[in-house]
């Protein structure tokens, strides 16, 4: 997989936007960027993915830089239920998603 | 109606026993996966089946044998269980990457404890 680098942890205030950065400087032209999260004791949950354009869905927005070497996941209004480990993944093989250490996000009241 | 369901949710067993974990998906997906999450919390892919054919087989002891009777089911059988097999095992499914991105839907996990 293209190596991704994420901060180990970050805190966010409830109701504020959470901006989660990810570096993927070795990404190839046809590789997607995927974001998943894992809430404690649950299975991983898909959030969003993108190739070149910015993307938005009901959960989050994904901003990909023009050179595609980094991206930012935005949770627009973080809630306590958004506390989880967030994974940024860029797989060489779309069937083989590898999860790194991710970013532990703690949303505080 | 759970999309990807695994049974059992918890399994406690003795070393040396043989056990199975079952997975079923009702999403109509063609591809299914088994992942292992150990005590250090890293998720590692073990196997993947596409239309009942094995397409990913990571470096997993041959005591682990996946079986896919049909596209909707992928079971994991483990022989001669060892202490190091204690982990949470996640099943997942996806449509596959034939039309672009491949998005996985995960089950809730099966926690295996080997004593």
């Amino acid at each position: 997989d293209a190596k991704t680098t994420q901060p180990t942890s970050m805190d966010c205030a409830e109701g504020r936007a959470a901006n989660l950065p990810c570096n993927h400087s070795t990404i190839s032209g046809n590789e997607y960027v995927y974001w998943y999260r894992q809430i404690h004791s649950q299975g991983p949950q898909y959030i969003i993915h993108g190739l070149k354009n910015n993307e938005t869905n009901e959960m989050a927005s994904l901003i990909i830089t023009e050179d595609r070497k980094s991206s930012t996941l935005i949770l627009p209004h973080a809630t306590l239920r958004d506390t989880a480990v967030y994974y940024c993944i860029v797989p060489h093989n779309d069937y083989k998603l590898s999860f790194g250490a991710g970013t532990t996000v703690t949303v505080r009241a | 109606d759970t999309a990807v369901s695994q049974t059992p949710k918890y399994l406690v067993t003795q070393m040396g026993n043989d056990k199975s974990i079952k997975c079923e998906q009702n999403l109509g997906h063609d591809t299914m996966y088994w992942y292992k999450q150990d005590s250090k919390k890293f998720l590692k892919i073990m196997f993947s089946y596409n239309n009942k054919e094995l397409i990913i087989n990571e470096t997993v002891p041959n005591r682990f044998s996946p079986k896919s009777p049909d596209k909707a089911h992928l079971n994991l059988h483990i022989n001669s269980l060892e202490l190091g097999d204690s982990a949470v095992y996640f099943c997942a499914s996806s449509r596959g990457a034939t039309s672009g991105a491949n998005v996985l839907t995960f089950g809730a996990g099966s926690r295996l404890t080997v004593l």
Side-chain angles (χ1 to χ4, degrees):
Chain A
D1 290 358
K3 181 176 172 57
T4 61
T5 306
Q6 301 179 250
T8 303
S9 64
M10 61 186 297
D11 284 2
C12 176
E14 189 179 22
R16 303 294 294 270
N19 296 313
L20 282 63
C22 179
N23 287 324
H24 31 78
S25 58
T26 60
I27 192 170
S28 297
N30 60 349
E31 290 176 335
Y32 285 88
V33 180
Y34 298 85
W35 283 83
Y36 285 76
R37 72 179 182 183
Q38 187 173 25
I39 296 170
H40 182 61
S41 297
Q42 297 184 19
Q45 177 188 25
Y46 164 78
I47 301 173
I48 200 166
H49 72 275
L51 186 60
K52 296 178 181 175
N53 299 323
N54 298 336
E55 303 288 345
T56 295
N57 63 20
E58 66 277 4
M59 288 183 69
S61 295
L62 175 60
I63 309 298
I64 302 174
T65 58
E66 196 168 338
D67 64 7
R68 303 213 321 124
K69 292 185 177 182
S70 67
S71 60
T72 301
L73 179 75
I74 301 172
L75 307 177
H77 304 286
T79 71
L80 298 178
R81 287 176 292 181
D82 291 323
T83 292
V85 180
Y86 287 76
Y87 300 96
C88 170
I89 304 169
V90 180
H92 285 315
N93 178 339
D94 278 318
Y95 287 96
K96 193 174 164 182
L97 264 63
S98 297
F99 290 74
T103 297
T104 298
V105 173
T106 303
V107 181
R108 302 192 186 279
Chain B
D1 195 18
T2 305
V4 180
S5 57
Q6 302 179 220
T7 54
K9 189 170 175 61
Y10 299 96
L11 183 54
V12 180
T13 188
Q14 300 286 330
M15 271 198 312
N17 284 349
D18 303 338
K19 289 294 178 186
S20 292
I21 306 172
K22 296 185 177 182
C23 179
E24 176 182 5
Q25 54 96 3
N26 62 6
L27 298 168
H29 288 166
D30 289 333
T31 310
M32 296 186 72
Y33 311 77
W34 278 110
Y35 278 79
K36 177 181 180 181
Q37 188 168 40
D38 59 23
S39 57
K40 294 182 180 176
K41 301 300 184 183
F42 284 106
L43 268 161
K44 294 187 184 301
I45 190 167
M46 302 172 69
F47 302 103
S48 175
Y49 272 73
N50 182 257
N51 281 320
K52 303 195 309 177
E53 288 194 27
L54 184 65
I55 59 171
I56 292 174
N57 185 354
E58 289 297 277
T59 309
V60 176
N62 57 15
R63 297 182 295 103
F64 290 78
S65 54
K67 286 185 173 53
S68 182
D70 55 57
K71 283 195 327 182
H73 296 85
L74 181 61
N75 303 322
L76 183 64
H77 189 75
I78 315 171
N79 289 328
S80 304
L81 278 156
E82 300 177 357
L83 294 176
D85 297 332
S86 295
V88 182
Y89 292 85
F90 288 99
C91 177
S93 73
S94 73
R95 281 199 182 94
T98 53
S99 56
N102 186 30
V103 174
L104 273 63
T105 301
F106 283 82
S110 297
R111 180 177 293 276
L112 171 65
T113 303
V114 182
L115 303 174

